């Protein structure tokens, strides 16, 4: 398998885990930690997109 594709896949899974954690933190009314989890999820999603785009360039 392509290296960048595997990295993008792992980052995507991590992004969804962080997003689920942010939702649970919002339910528990811990807004500050929810905000941090949401920002981390967005950052991980950004890197997943970058690695996904780079996986198309691999041969």
């Amino acid at each position: 398998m392509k290296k960048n594709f595997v990295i993008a896949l792992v980052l995507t899974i991590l992004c969804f885990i962080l997003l689920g954690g942010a939702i649970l933190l919002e339910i528990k009314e811990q807004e500050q930690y929810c905000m941090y989890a949401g920002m981390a999820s967005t950052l991980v999603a950004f890197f997943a997109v970058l690695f996904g785009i780079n996986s198309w360039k691999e041969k």
Side-chain angles (χ1 to χ4, degrees), residues 10-21:
V10 169
L11 288 174
T12 303
I13 293 169
L14 182 62
C15 173
F16 280 113
I17 290 171
L18 284 169
L19 185 61

Side-chain angles (χ1 to χ4, degrees), residues 29-40:
E29 297 180 358
Q30 296 181 356
E31 285 85 12
Q32 186 174 7
Y33 297 121
C34 171
M35 179 186 65
Y36 292 143
M39 288 190 305

Side-chain angles (χ1 to χ4, degrees), residues 4 7-8 11 41-54:
N4 283 330
I7 294 171
L11 288 174
S41 176
T42 304
L43 182 66
V44 171
F46 175 73
F47 283 119
V49 168
L50 287 180
F51 279 104
I53 290 172
N54 284 335

